[in-house]
Each structure stands twice: as structure tokens, then as C-alpha cells.
Amino acid sequence: MLASKPTPAARRGGWTDFQRRYAPYIFISPFFILFFIFGLFPILFNAYLSFQQWQPGSGLGEMKFVGFRNYTDNLTDPTFWQSLKNTAVLAVLSGLPQHLIAIPLAFAVAGVLRRMQHLVTAVYFLPYITSIVAISVIFFTLFSWQYGVINAALSALHGLPLIGGLFPADRINWLGQKEYVQPAVALVVIWRYTGWNMLLYLSGLQAIPRELYEAAAVDGATGGQQFRYITLPLLRPIMFVAVTLSLIGGLQLFEEPFILTNGTGGAGQAGLTTIMYMYRTYASYSDAGVAAAMSWLLFLVIGALTLVNNRLFGRSGLAGRDER
Amino acid sequence: MRSLLTLTLALTASTLGMAAAQTKTITVAAFPDLDSVIKAALPGFKKLYPNVDVKINSLAYADHHTALTTALSTGKGAADVVAVDFGYIGRFAEGNGLVDLRGAPYNAGQYRSQFVAYTYPQAMAPDGRMVAMPTDIGPGSMFYRSDMLRKAGVRPTDLNRSWESYIAAGKKVVAANPGSFLIPDAGEAAQIILRTGLGAGEGLYFDKSGKVLVGPENPRFVRAFTVAKQIRDAKLDARAGGAFSPDWTTAFQKGNLATEFSGAWLVGHMQNWLAKDYSGKWAAQNLPGNTFASWGGSFYAIPQQSQNKAEAWALIKYLTTNPAQQVLAFKTTGAFPALRAAASDPVFNEGVPYLGGQKARIQWRQAALKIQPLDVNRLDPVAEQIVNDALNTVLDGSKDIPTALREAQTLITRRAR
């Protein structure tokens, strides 16, 4: 097809010229096309929708512009505020323990359990890739009020002499009583994501030069001191990443509380997160505009909290910046 | 009767005119087990309409309704005939995506007297449009364990005379059968009481003018909450939450439940998987307090975007107004007919093997005739959620009834403005 020697015509506007000038755009276009369709368009449409009153079942022609009413509706809705509070409580309740367990665990795996590192990592990582449906079936069985393993274990412990008094005499209705819904949901989230965080920390640990530990050991530093003065400071950048991911993930919590409470939010609506409430507003109440406005309000909250996290943690956490 | 029906069908066929010459394919979207009902109906339909081919697209229950919502909101992709479950009909009635079946050429109003009375109002929007035809219903029934009752010396009529006698007799049953529960969840009693004893022009949560009915002044809500609270306080319920929750299923499978309120269709689930080992031990009785309520039901509708509305209506009419077909549907999946004529078929006088040969279908047929129509409101799902939350705060003891109802009233009014 191609002339082996470019003719003057080809140099001005022919095939090679086309190749040089435009072909790259064609080659990278799939990304942009997909991004516009599945990334940018939904975001813009959602923004547009947040100013409309719309019942999804009635067709696109039925939209009605209502200004900021969807936003003010949400801001004056007690259930919206309750869902935000639930989300915040769950984010802390499930987020903190993840890291408090994952960091020492990663340290132990990298040091003591070095030989079995791959096996241990795989075992801890397994919950993260397990299907949420399978998880819910397992935890339903564990948490069940009448038939659950957890309650069976607690009542067996209650029957023991001496320490029996520490455990409750009555069965706990984990998913049916207000006080226990959030701990139950948090437990599942912790179980699911601790392995993922451990993996992050493990990769961070492996980036710390071994000479530092050797030098410290020569100087007589104990294991605890090594952890305190070498591991923790050098792990900060990865801690910043992991905490940011947990923060965003925690505020978008949906699957675990949704499935554990059968989509109802559980007793006293204690398990109703903002994303769940948004889904309910759209799917059950058919109020697409209010749901869209809610998603933008949540976006603002996540944005603000990420910024705060950045200020508090990021400055010293990002590698290379703490020296300056 | 039947010849008249065939005649109307034939007339409709002839009005299709040129369609008689070539074969047309229409699509039907449904969910299990309704898809098997339609499949079973096709040979009979094909005899009347040899030129219409029917293709069934079946999706899981929730997926089907999600897909339908998407198709209606974008105006593309809906089938010619769509099945709609009771739980979704109010939402779809509100929008304009489904054809109004009252107008010509459908004139669905003329069949109204042939159907169980409460079915038509369920498919109607507040402005009077009718968006779907009823096909099956779920007349409410109280299932009870006859062996447990016998052990406690309680007669079935002690359970259903009134709600007070239900609780009193229930205490004896639970006492005589250690480890058992009278009912999966106390909230169920409240749901039945809320759905019965409605005043004229009242919907479940709103009256005809859209005014909120929930509140501490409304005796229906106070009574519903009070009875549920009494059941919970007497420790008679298994606190299993909604039907088909894991605790609910386990309690059934272990044989720990003495009674359950549900639609007649529950027998199918019980004999197939839920309580297989207890065949002959369960029986059916009317709901307590001489009340009648319905559990679900299905409808067929035509989307506005359908290009084959005439053929779609022919199929819907065949599925819903043909007694032989309605009886076939009952035999196929146990779908209780919404068409009254179908319920007089001899098969309804036969005993139900799982219920120890009890002729429960006659009882259900009578119950179906006594169920009151309920007006639907666009905000029913919102109100339902809020009332359920309020009920739960009462049941777990964190709020008293007047406070919970007043708060629910405020929340619903806020949304209803």
C-alpha cells in the first residue's frame, strides 16, 4: 500500500502525514470514548438531575426543574442526618481497628512469620475477594438470635464457673436490636478489609531498607524500639494512603449493612448509611432528583474530610516532604 | 359465557385486519414463576391467534422490575407485555409509561365485576387511569400447627376469634411446646390490623385528598401498634423480621413456629422446601379478629412504547379473563386466580394434601371476596418505611406508642407537602 519513498504529495497531506498527526488520537480514543460515556456523562447527568424533580418510571420528558429544592429537602431531612451520623460512626468503628490490627500484623508477618509469608497473606486476604453474598450467608448464621453460633458460644461461656458472670445470660439479638447493629456491621467490615490493609502495610514494610534494622540492632535497640523508631515513621506514607482509602470506603459503605439488615437499615435504622438511604430514595421512593442531590452532598462531606485528613496526616506523611 | 368470550376474542382478532395475513412476534417480560404460567398458556393462545408468536423474556424478580424501570424511564427496550408484581404496581401507576387500559380499544372497565373486587383499585393511579390487569392474588390465611395446638388443648377457633384471644391462646401454645414461637415477628399482626378496618375514602396511610392518616389520634394505628407490642411483651414472637429472612427460614425448617400469617401461596413454599418434614401437621384458618387481607398478587401491563399493542392486549385478555387459562395457571404454580369464575372450578373443592387434605381453597376463595380494596398513593413506600421504623422503636421499647406515631406523622407530612 505505502510508497517506499514518500512523494511530495504524501508529505503535505498523505498517509504518513495522517499517521504522524492524527493516528495517535485514534489509538487513544477508546479510553476517552469510554470515559465520556461511562465516566463523565453519568456525573454530568447526575448533577443535572439533582436540580430536577423526576420519577424514573415516567420517562425522560417528565423532568421538572426545581432549583435547589432537592438540596434543601435533604438538609432538612432528619433521616438524612441520621444516615450521615450512622455512616460516620460506622466509618470510625470499622476503620480504626482495621489499621490497629493490620500494622502489627504486617510487622509480624514480615518478621516472625517470614517463611510462611505468602500463605499467611493469602489467608488474610481471602475475605477481601470473597463474594459478599457468601459472606452475608455466613454472618447471618453466626449472628442469628435463636440459632447463631456467636450466641451459642456466649451462653456456653456464661455457663463456666468463675468467669461465667462476664458473659451475658440472655441471647443477644445482634441484627434486631438497635445497640448491636453497628458493632455487628463493623465487625464484618473489619473482618473483610483488615487483610487488604495488611497487604498495603506489608508492601510498605518491604520498602524499608534492612540495613536500618541491622544498624539499630548493633546499637542495641530492642524489637519494640525498632518498631517505634524505624518502622512507624517510615511507614507513614503508606499509612496515609491506607487511611485515605479507608476513609473514602467507609463513607461509601453500602454492601455490608445493606445485606446484613436486609436493606431495611436494621433496628432503629442504626445500620442505614447515606449510600443506602440514597439507594432507597431512588429505588423505593422513586425520587431520582433528591437521590442525586444526596450524592453531591455526600461528595462534599467526603471531599472535606479527605482534605482534613490531608492537612493532619498528609503533610508529614508524604515521603520527601517531611524533610523540608 | 365461554362462547361469548371466544366471540369477543374472535372479533378482536378480526379487527386486527391485515395482521391475519402475516405472522407477528410479540415479547413478554416476566419473572419466575409467572413465566411458567405464560409458557403453559401459549399452546391455547396459539390456537386462537395462529399468527401471533410469543417470546418470553424471564429475569429474576428484582432484576425484572429494575429492567422495566430503566426501559420506561428511557423510553426504550420494554417488552410488549410486562408482568408487574403488587409491590411495584403503585410506583408504575404514578408515571406515564404504561398504557391506560380503561380507554378504547381496551375498555378494561367492562371486566371489573368478573374480578375479585380489591384487585382493580390496586392497579389504578390516583387520577383514575388503570395501568394493568390483575392475574393472580394472595388471599390471606393463618397457618397453624395442629399438633402443637392439640398438645396445648387449644382449638383453632380460639386463635382466630379476636386478637385478644389469639394472644391468650398463643401463650398456652408456647407454654405447652417449649422452644416454640407463636409467630415469626410481632410486626406482622400490626400489618394486618393496619390493612383492615379502613374508613370510607381511606388509603393505608393517606386519604383520598392526600392527607396523612398516620398519627396518635388514628385508632387503627394505635390498635395495630398496641397488639404488636402485646405480642412482643408476652415473648411470643421469634423476632425474625420480614418473611424469608434467615431466622424466619430457620424457624420454619426447625418446626419452631406455631402460626404464620401469609398468602395462600405459602403452602407451595412450605411443601417444597420450607417445612417439608411437617406435611399434614400444618392447617389453615382465617386471620384473627375476622379480618381479611391480601399478600401480594401479579398484574400484566402494556408499555406505551410497545409497537404491538393490539396483540399484547389479546394475550393479556387471554391470560386474565379466560377461566380455563386461570385454572391452568393455578394448577401450574398455585397462582390463586383473580378471575372469580375460575375459582368455581372443581379443583378448588379438592383437599390440599400438604394441609392434611383440608379443603382450604374454599376458605381462601371466600376470604378473597371479603378483602377490601386499598387506594394506592405515590408516597406509600415512604410512609410504609417510616411507619415500620416507628413500629420497631415501639417493639424494642425505646419509644411509647403516641410518641412514635407523632414522630412518624411529622416525617411523612414533611415528604407529602
Side-chain angles (χ1 to χ4, degrees):
Chain A
M1 279 294 285
L2 280 174
S4 53
K5 220 163 47 169
T7 61
R11 241 174 279 135
R12 275 199 307 274
W15 177 243
T16 36
D17 191 49
F18 169 80
Q19 267 184 316
R20 193 163 46 82
R21 289 176 128 201
Y22 302 108
Y25 293 105
I26 292 176
F27 288 128
I28 60 165
S29 66
F31 167 75
F32 285 99
I33 292 168
L34 291 175
F35 172 71
F36 279 118
I37 297 173
F38 297 106
L40 194 63
F41 172 73
I43 293 174
L44 295 177
F45 183 72
N46 191 41
Y48 174 77
L49 198 56
S50 70
F51 295 102
Q52 311 283 328
Q53 184 179 19
W54 185 48
Q55 307 263 332
S58 47
L60 286 169
E62 302 282 314
M63 283 192 194
K64 204 176 96 196
F65 181 76
V66 291
F68 277 94
R69 209 192 71 195
N70 291 335
Y71 287 90
T72 53
D73 268 9
N74 274 314
L75 292 173
T76 55
D77 179 1
T79 315
F80 171 71
W81 288 105
Q82 203 207 330
S83 77
L84 267 185
K85 202 183 117 202
N86 291 341
T87 310
V89 171
L90 278 171
V92 173
L93 214 57
S94 66
L96 267 183
Q98 278 177 39
H99 297 274
L100 294 182
I101 299 169
I103 295 173
L105 201 62
F107 190 66
V109 169
V112 188
L113 303 170
R114 222 178 160 71
R115 284 168 176 280
M116 299 190 294
Q117 187 180 325
H118 294 297
L119 178 73
V120 176
T121 314
V123 168
Y124 279 104
F125 196 64
L126 204 60
Y128 184 72
I129 51 165
T130 307
S131 136
I132 184 79
V133 179
I135 292 172
S136 69
V137 171
I138 293 166
F139 277 91
F140 268 136
T141 325
L142 295 176
F143 281 126
S144 169
W145 178 51
Q146 280 296 318
Y147 314 105
V149 177
I150 296 178
N151 278 336
L154 285 177
S155 62
L157 286 170
H158 179 74
L160 290 178
L162 294 173
I163 57 161
L166 294 170
F167 300 97
D170 288 335
R171 279 185 287 244
I172 294 175
N173 194 355
W174 292 100
L175 299 171
Q177 212 169 325
K178 203 168 47 178
E179 305 86 297
Y180 300 109
V181 174
Q182 287 174 346
V185 170
L187 202 69
V188 178
V189 178
I190 293 166
W191 175 79
R192 194 161 180 223
Y193 291 99
T194 301
W196 156 257
N197 283 307
M198 190 197 75
L199 203 70
L200 285 180
Y201 288 122
L202 203 56
S203 64
L205 282 176
Q206 277 157 352
I208 300 175
R210 298 226 56 83
E211 297 85 59
L212 293 177
Y213 291 104
E214 284 159 15
V218 168
D219 289 344
T222 63
Q225 284 170 325
Q226 291 180 16
F227 181 73
R228 169 85 181 75
Y229 295 106
I230 301 174
T231 311
L232 276 185
L234 291 177
L235 214 50
R236 266 191 178 164
I238 209 83
M239 276 163 77
F240 172 66
V241 172
V243 169
T244 307
L245 288 177
S246 287
L247 184 72
I248 296 173
L251 292 172
Q252 293 183 336
L253 197 62
F254 175 76
E255 289 165 310
E256 289 85 356
F258 186 84
I259 292 190
L260 281 177
T261 66
N262 248 330
T264 62
Q269 299 287 287
L272 183 76
T273 64
T274 306
I275 297 278
M276 265 172 81
Y277 189 46
M278 184 181 88
Y279 173 79
R280 179 187 291 176
T281 306
Y282 172 77
S284 308
Y285 303 168
S286 301
D287 217 337
V290 173
M294 206 183 296
S295 73
W296 287 100
L297 290 171
L298 183 66
F299 169 72
L300 288 180
V301 172
I302 293 178
L305 287 180
T306 312
L307 207 68
V308 169
N309 178 41
N310 229 326
R311 287 268 157 188
L312 289 178
F313 206 166
R315 187 163 304 200
S316 55
L318 290 177
R321 280 175 64 181
D322 43 356
E323 282 89 8
R324 259 173 254 160
Chain B
M1 181 64 222
R2 190 158 308 176
S3 60
L4 185 73
L5 198 77
T6 324
L7 186 69
T8 26
L9 287 172
L11 282 175
T12 321
S14 64
T15 50
L16 297 178
M18 75 285 181
Q22 75 232 37
T23 308
K24 233 179 188 180
T25 303
I26 62 169
T27 49
V28 183
F31 48 86
D33 294 331
L34 207 57
D35 52 354
S36 31
V37 168
I38 302 167
K39 205 173 165 196
L42 290 185
F45 179 71
K46 191 77 189 166
K47 265 183 213 154
L48 288 171
Y49 296 91
N51 296 325
V52 180
D53 281 340
V54 178
K55 200 170 149 268
I56 303 169
N57 297 325
S58 183
L59 288 174
Y61 177 83
D63 293 341
H64 164 79
H65 290 99
T66 308
L68 182 57
T69 310
T70 310
L72 292 182
S73 57
T74 55
K76 268 203 165 57
D80 296 306
V81 173
V82 293
V84 181
D85 185 68
F86 165 72
Y88 288 84
I89 194 80
R91 244 171 284 169
F92 288 127
E94 192 62 32
N96 289 317
L98 301 175
V99 166
D100 181 6
L101 299 175
R102 279 177 319 164
Y106 317 103
N107 302 316
Q110 60 181 305
Y111 305 108
R112 185 167 183 154
S113 61
Q114 297 177 23
F115 282 83
V116 172
Y118 71 87
T119 57
Y120 260 54
Q122 285 179 338
M124 283 178 159
D127 59 10
R129 283 175 305 114
M130 182 180 172
V131 296
M133 279 293 272
T135 181
D136 59 60
I137 58 174
S141 180
M142 177 179 70
F143 297 98
Y144 64 92
R145 282 279 297 275
S146 41
D147 55 331
M148 286 191 183
L149 262 64
R150 213 173 302 124
K151 215 170 157 192
V154 167
R155 285 166 303 163
T157 45
D158 294 339
L159 282 176
N160 75 348
R161 203 180 314 126
S162 70
W163 284 104
E164 284 68 28
S165 74
Y166 174 76
I167 296 172
K171 285 178 186 164
K172 286 186 207 161
V173 174
V174 170
N177 297 278
S180 73
F181 297 98
L182 181 59
I183 183 175
D185 201 279
E188 292 177 47
Q191 297 302 337
I192 298 170
I193 297 169
L194 283 184
R195 278 163 179 75
T196 49
L198 281 81
E202 280 190 5
L204 215 43
Y205 308 104
F206 301 92
D207 70 7
K208 270 211 164 69
S209 60
K211 193 178 145 280
V212 180
L213 295 171
V214 182
E217 293 80 27
N218 188 322
R220 181 160 53 97
F221 285 90
V222 175
R223 167 122 173 104
F225 278 42
T226 309
V227 170
K229 179 73 174 152
Q230 283 167 351
I231 294 175
R232 171 65 51 93
D233 287 349
K235 297 196 189 321
L236 294 177
D237 74 322
R239 303 191 210 173
F244 297 99
S245 72
D247 274 5
W248 182 87
T249 309
T250 314
F252 254 110
Q253 288 169 339
K254 295 201 174 219
N256 288 355
L257 296 171
T259 70
E260 167 66 318
F261 311 125
S262 187
W265 45 261
L266 190 68
V267 171
H269 290 287
M270 286 202 281
Q271 71 185 20
N272 291 335
W273 61 281
L274 202 51
K276 256 193 208 169
D277 303 340
Y278 300 91
S279 177
K281 290 183 175 166
W282 282 94
Q285 182 57 275
N286 280 328
L287 298 171
N290 203 24
T291 47
F292 300 93
S294 82
W295 268 260
S298 328
F299 298 81
Y300 294 114
I302 308 174
Q304 291 283 9
Q305 50 186 285
S306 163
Q307 299 298 315
N308 306 302
K309 293 196 178 76
E311 293 82 0
W313 175 240
L315 177 62
I316 291 180
K317 226 164 59 171
Y318 180 75
L319 289 168
T320 58
T321 63
N322 183 323
Q325 161 52 29
Q326 285 264 300
V327 172
L328 179 65
F330 179 70
K331 286 178 180 160
T332 310
T333 63
F336 207 91
L339 189 72
R340 291 168 59 177
S344 57
D345 189 89
V347 71
F348 286 83
N349 300 325
E350 289 171 15
V352 181
Y354 183 83
L355 300 177
Q358 187 190 0
K359 292 187 176 177
R361 289 162 186 165
I362 302 173
Q363 182 186 312
W364 294 332
R365 183 172 62 200
Q366 283 160 350
L369 297 178
K370 289 182 182 163
I371 298 167
Q372 302 178 34
L374 290 176
D375 281 338
V376 290
N377 187 290
R378 179 176 69 87
L379 291 166
D380 276 347
V382 183
E384 185 182 3
Q385 182 73 50
I386 293 170
V387 168
N388 282 345
D389 294 346
L391 178 61
N392 282 325
T393 62
V394 168
L395 290 180
D396 71 14
S398 53
K399 272 177 199 152
D400 61 40
I401 295 174
T403 312
L405 280 174
R406 190 163 304 114
E407 283 179 15
Q409 184 178 32
T410 315
L411 281 175
I412 299 170
T413 312
R414 217 197 118 262
R415 294 285 285 210
R417 78 202 144 89

